[in-house]
Amino acid sequence: MDEPMEASYNNPGLDGVQHQGQQQVEQVLLGHRDQHTFGNSVNMNVDLATPSPASSHPGIASDDTNITKPHFTPLLRPGSMVMMTLTEEDYEVQYWPKLKNAIDHLLNIKPGAYIPISYEQMYSCVYKCVCKQFSERLYNDLLNHLTSHMEYLNQELRKHEGETIPYIETFSFLMHQYLQALSGIVPIFNYMNRFYVENKLKTDLNEELRKLFCLKVVDVHIGNLIKMLDEVSAVPFAISPPTMASVMKNLYALNEGYSKLNPALFSRYLPNILPPTDPAYLDQYAQEARTVQQHIASMEFSHRNLHFCDSQWCATVDVVTYFPQLG
């Protein structure tokens, strides 16, 4: 059984038939592969050449018409800031007078009032001046103009040097007016502040204008002012409490060092002025409290009876009945 099988593999006739059969199979496979490849290439060519459904119908617009083509504009176009020139005469005649007028309006406005100023127009003037290398001059002109205004403030205060209450009220009004004006001046010069004051001078415009007010106005009058405030605080309601509190808070906000001139006075209106409580001085604190109580007990009322009125009733109270130590 094994020999015929071995003979069949060694038979040349069978080997020839087998070789011929293999060649036929290879030709069939190659033909099938070529036909498949040709079909794919045809399909590919057809797909590339086939128009879109929209373009095959004349009434339907193609999708290409809806695509927005990029629009490029030249960087240096006529009329832009890059092409604009700004001369010394333009600055002195057109730009600085507009800014100066707006500053004067802000400096002279009453606290709480409003004036119509085009901040967009003023900001545009500052922007053009800074872009055209006028930052340093614009900054110096601003400081010089505010300095001249502070000379006017000093003259107003000197008119009331001999009058305690008018002097304090005038100082409170002028200081509040100036600080309110800064809230409008600083935003107008914001572009100059960012690209000149902060970048080159390494400071802040708001801080510089507050320091200028301290140097030119507050430091000139602080000694006389603190003395008058201390005297007036001993008289109840000689100055309205809101005015006193406003003066103290604004002075402390401008320069915390002012509180060291009279810590006891500032501590009546502001917290954390005096040093913290020390247990070693408890006896001293108790003695101070007893002194205050004795001072209140020794006060003499000009009227023995106090008259209380409400929206619905009135009553008269005998002070000695409730406070025998005052009798």
Side-chain angles (χ1 to χ4, degrees):
M1 293 292 296
D2 295 336
E3 293 179 358
M5 295 180 63
E6 293 177 358
S8 63
Y9 283 102
N10 296 325
N11 191 348
L14 293 176
D15 292 339
V17 174
Q18 184 179 7
H19 179 69
Q20 184 178 3
Q22 291 178 354
Q23 290 180 349
Q24 292 177 356
V25 172
E26 291 177 359
Q27 291 178 359
V28 172
L29 293 176
L30 290 174
H32 178 72
R33 184 187 64 180
D34 295 339
Q35 183 179 4
H36 181 70
T37 305
F38 176 76
N40 289 340
S41 63
V42 171
N43 292 335
M44 184 180 298
N45 294 332
V46 171
D47 292 339
L48 293 175
T50 302
S52 61
S55 62
S56 61
H57 298 280
I60 301 178
S62 176
D63 294 339
D64 296 339
T65 58
N66 297 329
I67 300 176
T68 303
K69 296 182 179 180
H71 178 68
F72 299 97
T73 57
L75 180 62
L76 301 178
R77 60 183 183 275
S80 64
M81 272 298 301
V82 180
M83 302 297 294
M84 190 194 74
T85 58
L86 182 63
T87 62
E88 296 280 345
E89 183 179 359
D90 294 335
Y91 173 83
E92 296 174 356
V93 176
Q94 298 181 12
Y95 292 93
W96 173 243
K98 292 181 181 179
L99 295 171
K100 181 180 177 181
N101 187 35
I103 294 171
D104 290 336
H105 280 295
L106 292 171
L107 290 174
N108 296 314
I109 188 176
K110 294 182 179 180
Y114 170 78
I115 56 175
I117 292 181
S118 176
Y119 282 88
E120 181 180 2
Q121 183 181 7
M122 297 300 103
Y123 187 89
S124 177
C125 291
V126 174
Y127 174 78
K128 294 176 182 178
C129 293
V130 173
C131 291
K132 294 305 175 181
Q133 308 301 321
F134 281 86
S135 301
E136 183 177 0
R137 181 170 181 181
L138 185 63
Y139 178 72
N140 292 330
D141 287 342
L142 175 62
L143 295 184
N144 293 333
H145 186 63
L146 292 179
T147 301
S148 62
H149 175 73
M150 292 173 191
E151 292 297 330
Y152 163 76
L153 299 183
N154 289 328
Q155 294 176 3
E156 292 295 319
L157 290 172
R158 293 190 185 99
K159 295 179 181 179
H160 305 284
E161 284 185 349
E163 304 171 346
T164 301
I165 295 178
Y167 181 87
I168 295 175
E169 291 178 346
T170 303
F171 187 91
S172 175
F173 175 82
L174 296 178
M175 179 169 57
H176 185 67
Q177 186 182 45
Y178 178 80
L179 295 178
Q180 176 184 269
L182 291 187
S183 63
I185 295 175
V186 174
I188 290 177
F189 291 87
N190 181 49
Y191 197 79
M192 182 191 70
N193 182 38
R194 290 169 53 193
F195 291 94
Y196 178 74
V197 181
E198 293 181 355
N199 189 24
K200 187 174 182 180
L201 303 182
K202 306 302 180 182
T203 182
D204 180 73
L205 180 62
N206 187 39
E207 292 297 327
E208 290 300 316
L209 298 184
R210 292 167 72 92
K211 291 179 181 178
L212 183 65
F213 182 77
C214 292
L215 179 63
K216 299 295 183 179
V217 179
V218 181
D219 291 348
V220 177
H221 303 274
I222 189 63
N224 192 25
L225 177 65
I226 293 296
K227 180 181 178 181
M228 290 184 177
L229 290 172
D230 193 17
E231 294 175 355
V232 170
S233 63
V235 182
F237 301 102
I239 298 290
S240 63
T243 301
M244 290 289 294
S246 176
V247 172
M248 294 300 174
K249 292 179 180 179
N250 288 332
L251 287 176
Y252 188 78
L254 288 172
N255 187 356
E256 296 181 1
Y258 293 145
S259 62
K260 298 179 181 179
L261 300 176
N262 194 333
L265 176 62
F266 279 84
S267 64
R268 301 174 191 174
Y269 303 93
L270 298 171
N272 302 324
I273 299 298
L274 297 177
T277 303
D278 189 351
Y281 296 97
L282 290 179
D283 294 338
Q284 180 180 349
Y285 300 149
Q287 181 61 34
E288 292 177 356
R290 286 192 293 268
T291 302
V292 173
Q293 293 174 357
Q294 293 175 1
H295 176 70
I296 296 175
S298 63
M299 293 176 60
E300 295 182 0
F301 287 85
S302 59
H303 299 283
R304 178 170 177 173
N305 295 330
L306 297 180
H307 191 65
F308 296 94
C309 288
D310 197 357
S311 59
Q312 298 179 354
W313 58 274
C314 292
T316 301
V317 179
D318 187 359
V319 177
V320 179
T321 302
Y322 293 93
F323 304 98
Q325 66 274 19
L326 300 179

